[in-house]
Amino acid sequence: MSKKPESVLGRVFAFIGGFHVAIVSMVLLLLLTWLSTLEQTGPGGLYWTLKKYFSFDAYVVRPTLNGHDLPIILPGGYWVCAVFTLNLLVGGVMRIRKGWKHAAVLVSHFSMLALMVGGAVTYHQSKEAYMLLSVGEKGDSAFSLTELSIEIAEIKDGHKQEPVVLNSEVLDSVRGKPQRQRTFLLPDAYPFDVIVSEYHINAKLYPVQGKVPEDAMIVDGYYAMVAEPTGFEEKNLSSCILTIQEKRVGRNMTCYFMRE
């Protein structure tokens, strides 16, 4: 039998790198993968189900099956992966017995550790988009179905110059908050600044006819009302209110800005 560590730090390392942590982590990942696979066939769809189960902000998850919440609460998949990665590093690489007899085990642990680290890098650094091109065409821009943004660019001689991009993280800061707005000071090359407010993942635009809801903001004869997001992110019609503010004169022009 191996000698138990006597120091507090040694016992902490022994606990983190122990078999029990590895087994619990793998069982939780199995449950989360299975339940999320079942749930993504429902109205939540693939994109929002993955957000629910495996995003950085999902500390705990309440699984749903056939429209009903299950009476269990599980830790978020991102954080289970983080614990499992630490377990692999401490128990599977640092504390494991070294030598040719254990080379195969060490390689397998390194492989799993590389997969977990690669998944984390992909999650935090990757950008997914698509570009539609016909045969022989060229392009310099791509479109994302999930990460929405507002681009402001000058057109010179029929060519779009390098744009100023207000990305999805910026838009999320005013999402669903009627009184929240953000002002973006553009470079001196632009004669105006931009104010963004009333950003919603999914909305419907209506003309002003008959009775209009009291909380509706009317712009050029139209108003937008929040709608429940669909399970398929590419089908959501996102909207926000964009106010263009002239730098020198101070005049404002307001319009609804909706996803194409």
Side-chain angles (χ1 to χ4, degrees), residues 137-152:
E137 285 188 339
K138 297 180 180 180
D140 61 356
S141 61
F143 302 89
S144 174
L145 295 175
T146 57
E147 301 297 328
L148 305 181
S149 62
I150 297 176
E151 292 189 359
I152 304 169

Side-chain angles (χ1 to χ4, degrees), residues 71-89:
I72 57 173
I73 296 178
L74 298 173
Y78 180 98
W79 297 104
V80 176
C81 289
V83 172
F84 188 40
T85 301
L86 190 60
N87 173 265
L88 286 170
L89 179 62

Side-chain angles (χ1 to χ4, degrees), residues 17-257:
F19 284 113
H20 54 284
V21 175
I23 292 172
V24 170
S25 298
M26 287 188 286
V27 170
L28 286 174
L29 287 175
L30 175 63
L31 286 174
L32 289 166
T33 303
W34 178 56
L35 291 171
S36 63
T37 302
L38 295 177
E39 189 170 332
Q40 72 186 30
T41 60
L46 174 62
Y47 178 78
W48 290 109
T49 301
L50 291 178
K51 281 275 191 181
K52 173 182 175 180
Y53 279 82
F54 296 100
S55 69
F56 179 83
D57 300 324
Y59 300 107
V60 293
V61 176
R62 182 77 179 269
T64 301
L65 188 61
N66 296 327
H68 301 284
D69 290 336
L70 299 181
I72 57 173
I73 296 178
L74 298 173
Y78 180 98
W79 297 104
V80 176
C81 289
V83 172
F84 188 40
T85 301
L86 190 60
N87 173 265
L88 286 170
L89 179 62
V90 175
V93 177
M94 295 173 60
R95 300 182 69 245
I96 195 172
R97 292 180 180 178
K98 309 300 190 296
W100 287 110
K101 292 183 179 180
H102 306 281
V105 178
L106 192 61
V107 169
S108 65
H109 286 169
F110 263 117
S111 300
M112 289 188 289
L113 186 61
L115 286 174
M116 304 302 287
V117 173
V121 173
T122 300
Y123 178 86
H124 288 285
Q125 299 297 327
S126 67
K127 299 292 182 182
E128 297 181 358
Y130 72 97
M131 181 184 296
L132 296 177
L133 295 175
S134 300
V135 177
E137 285 188 339
K138 297 180 180 180
D140 61 356
S141 61
F143 302 89
S144 174
L145 295 175
T146 57
E147 301 297 328
L148 305 181
S149 62
I150 297 176
E151 292 189 359
I152 304 169
E154 183 181 2
I155 305 298
K156 285 186 178 181
D157 300 326
H159 299 285
K160 185 175 75 171
Q161 307 301 306
E162 184 176 355
V164 175
V165 180
L166 310 182
N167 58 32
S168 58
E169 294 180 358
V170 169
L171 296 178
D172 282 339
S173 65
V174 294
R175 174 186 170 188
K177 300 174 182 177
Q179 306 301 324
R180 185 76 177 271
Q181 65 180 29
R182 288 190 64 176
T183 301
F184 299 94
L185 305 179
L186 301 184
D188 294 336
Y190 294 88
F192 58 86
D193 296 319
V194 170
I195 302 173
V196 179
S197 60
E198 300 275 353
Y199 171 65
H200 301 289
I201 290 294
N202 194 24
K204 293 183 178 180
L205 194 64
Y206 299 96
V208 178
Q209 294 178 352
K211 187 176 180 180
V212 178
E214 295 181 359
D215 58 344
M217 183 171 181
I218 301 174
V219 178
D220 292 336
Y222 290 87
Y223 63 95
M225 295 300 296
V226 182
E228 188 71 21
T230 67
F232 303 95
E233 178 64 9
E234 62 271 17
K235 292 185 178 181
N236 288 326
L237 189 63
S238 303
S239 72
C240 69
I241 293 179
L242 201 64
T243 301
I244 298 174
Q245 186 178 54
E246 294 187 35
K247 292 182 178 180
R248 295 183 179 180
V249 183
R251 293 180 301 182
N252 293 344
M253 182 182 72
T254 303
C255 61
Y256 273 110
F257 189 84

